[in-house]
């Protein structure tokens, strides 16, 4: 089909004018997102010129460019002024980095840590302004949460509490759901869900008064069945659904709720290889005999090796997550969900639009591809034999040629 350069030129002129205006207003930044968007528009332009009539090509390209630039535009920001924010889990990682940035911006930061003498807590004390206050809090202890609530009410009496950043969380086990003790599921729920629920509910009177913000760091593992992240993923799924519910219920009060779904970043806990090795050893030492025989020690070792390899690919720069949290706190119209990090767009597209088999294979190739359990390997005892182990020895065993 003959190409039609003039509709394409008109659409590009409109897109360029919009982009230039946004750049002059500082609503748009030059960077990889903008360059990627322009590359996609160029590909769409090529496709439209070959498949559509001139006016239809003009309409599609112009509308797509307008929508893309609207999505890339930064929402107008509210002034920091004397806003106060409570951030949980500031010993390391996203919490510590966010506390530093918000303090530098002029926020009054209340930062909770597990230990006041932890390296992260001491670092915050040394490098931040006197406005930043450290609070010791363990989300599994109601007394700690109650003390934090009272401290927050007292120290925000004059300014009000503008925001809560639910960042604290933990992932303590990487294993199949069947291999994961029920106690591990409960522990993950206590920290990642119930602790955040209790703290958020306790602070809602202050947040309703300020018509403030709730920002919660969740995980794509709460949206997709990542292999061997059942304990962590189920708790994050519950947390995300809770925040979606709060988002609807608190809308009349003027409270805006955002969820951060980051890719894998190199936080301190991610890089602690010795910690993951120790947890693997504890898992193997405490596995019931039947499960150890059915899956095999090699299976668990393989999972651990693949997990550690995936962590080695984690992103070193935490600023995309910190920027997303900051935008959720200060944007006039914050997004309900943020996806900081590379590759998440493709991952979610595959998860929502491709067949289940392809989704499963993608997650296995991207994260962990489990090996074949021992009981399913050729030459091994059948599943029936493996199940018989769980029921105990045969009361009338046949003589064994090797019995002593």
């Amino acid at each position: 089909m003959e190409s039609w350069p003039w509709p394409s030129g008109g659409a590009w002129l409109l897109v360029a004018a919009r982009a230039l205006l946004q750049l002059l207003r500082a609503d748009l930044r030059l960077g990889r997102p903008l360059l990627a968007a322009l590359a996609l528009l160029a590909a769409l332009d090529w496709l439209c010129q070959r498949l559509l009539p001139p006016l239809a090509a003009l309409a599609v390209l112009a509308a797509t460019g307008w929508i893309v630039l609207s999505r890339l535009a930064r929402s107008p920001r509210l002034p920091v002024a004397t806003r106060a924010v409570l951030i949980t889990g500031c010993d390391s990682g996203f919490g510590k980095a966010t506390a530093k940035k918000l303090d530098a911006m002029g926020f009054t930061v209340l930062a909770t840590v597990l230990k006041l003498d932890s390296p992260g807590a001491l670092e915050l004390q040394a490098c931040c302004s006197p406005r930043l206050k450290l609070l010791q809090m363990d989300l599994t202890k109601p007394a700690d949460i109650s003390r934090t609530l009272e401290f927050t009410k007292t120290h925000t009496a004059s300014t009000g509490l503008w925001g809560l950043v639910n960042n604290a969380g933990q992932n303590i086990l990487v294993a199949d759901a069947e291999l994961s003790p029920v106690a591990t599921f409960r522990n993950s729920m206590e920290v990642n869900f119930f602790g955040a629920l209790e703290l958020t509910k306790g602070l809602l009177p202050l947040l309703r008064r300020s018509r403030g913000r709730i920002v919660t760091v969740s995980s794509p593992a709460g949206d997709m069945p990542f292999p061997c992240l059942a304990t962590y993923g189920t708790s994050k799924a519950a947390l995300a659904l809770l925040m979606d519910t709060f988002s609807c219920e608190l809308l009349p009060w003027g409270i805006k709720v955002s969820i951060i779904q980051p890719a894998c970043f190199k936080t301190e806990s991610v890089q602690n290889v010795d910690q993951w090795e120790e947890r693997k050893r504890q898992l193997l030492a405490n596995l019931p005999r039947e499960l150890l025989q059915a899956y095999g020690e090699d299976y668990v070792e393989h999972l651990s090796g693949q997990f550690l390899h995936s962590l080695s690919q984690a992103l070193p720069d935490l600023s995309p997550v910190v920027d997303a949290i900051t935008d959720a706190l200060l944007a006039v119209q914050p997004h309900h969900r943020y996806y900081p990090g590379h590759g998440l767009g493709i991952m979610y597209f595959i998860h929502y639009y491709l067949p289940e088999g392809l989704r499963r294979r993608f997650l296995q190739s991207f994260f962990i591809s489990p090996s074949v359990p021992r009981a399913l390997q050729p030459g091994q005892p059948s599943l029936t034999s493996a199940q018989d182990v769980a029921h105990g020895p045969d009361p009338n065993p046949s003589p064994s040629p090797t019995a002593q």
Side-chain angles (χ1 to χ4, degrees), residues 76-80 83-87 98-99 102 105 107 109 161-166 207 211-216 256 258 260 322-335 338:
R77 294 288 187 90
L78 298 168
V80 172
R83 299 183 195 275
V85 175
L86 173 68
I87 309 171
T98 302
L102 296 187
M105 293 174 66
F107 277 92
V109 177
L161 179 67
W162 172 249
L164 164 64
V165 179
N166 286 310
L207 294 168
R211 300 174 67 86
R213 304 290 170 86
I214 299 173
V215 184
T216 300
K256 292 182 171 63
S258 296
I260 314 295
V322 177
D323 290 343
I325 294 172
T326 304
D327 189 77
L329 288 170
L330 288 180
V332 173
Q333 293 296 334
H335 300 306
Y338 292 82

Side-chain angles (χ1 to χ4, degrees), residues 87-240:
I87 309 171
T88 65
C90 294
D91 303 83
S92 62
F94 303 140
K96 184 176 71 174
T98 302
K100 286 182 178 180
K101 176 169 181 176
L102 296 187
D103 176 74
M105 293 174 66
F107 277 92
T108 297
V109 177
L110 308 181
T112 77
V113 292
L114 271 176
K115 297 180 179 180
L116 291 173
D117 59 351
S118 68
L122 297 176
E123 182 180 341
L124 288 175
Q125 281 184 321
C127 70
C128 293
S129 75
R131 289 188 311 274
L132 184 138
K133 307 295 182 185
L134 287 175
L135 299 80
Q136 187 279 325
M137 184 180 69
D138 183 337
L139 280 172
T140 66
K141 298 179 179 178
D144 284 11
I145 295 176
S146 296
R147 187 172 63 249
T148 298
L149 294 175
E150 289 303 317
F151 184 95
T152 304
K153 291 173 186 176
T154 301
H155 284 76
T156 61
S158 59
T159 62
L161 179 67
W162 172 249
L164 164 64
V165 179
N166 286 310
N167 167 72
Q170 67 174 15
N171 177 22
I172 60 175
L173 185 63
V174 177
D176 291 41
E178 187 178 14
L179 301 180
S180 305
V182 174
T184 308
F185 281 90
R186 289 199 176 100
N187 189 271
S188 293
M189 289 295 291
E190 284 294 335
V191 176
N192 299 340
F193 177 76
F194 286 111
L197 169 63
E198 187 172 352
L199 181 65
T200 303
K201 282 175 62 68
L203 292 175
L204 281 181
L206 299 179
L207 294 168
R208 284 192 281 106
R209 199 171 303 142
S210 66
R211 300 174 67 86
R213 304 290 170 86
I214 299 173
V215 184
T216 300
V217 179
S218 186
S219 169
D223 291 333
M224 310 174 204
F226 275 77
C228 304
L229 288 186
T231 58
Y232 179 69
T234 50
S235 66
K236 288 296 188 178
L239 180 64

Side-chain angles (χ1 to χ4, degrees), residues 12 35-45 61:
W12 279 106
L35 295 177
L38 293 176
L40 287 174
L41 285 176
L44 180 64
D45 180 16
L61 187 61

Side-chain angles (χ1 to χ4, degrees), residues 232-262:
Y232 179 69
T234 50
S235 66
K236 288 296 188 178
L239 180 64
L241 182 58
L242 172 68
M243 293 301 152
D244 285 339
T245 304
F246 274 143
S247 179
C248 297
E249 295 177 348
L250 298 175
L251 192 60
W253 296 96
I255 297 176
K256 292 182 171 63
V257 180
S258 296
I259 301 172
I260 314 295
Q261 306 279 60

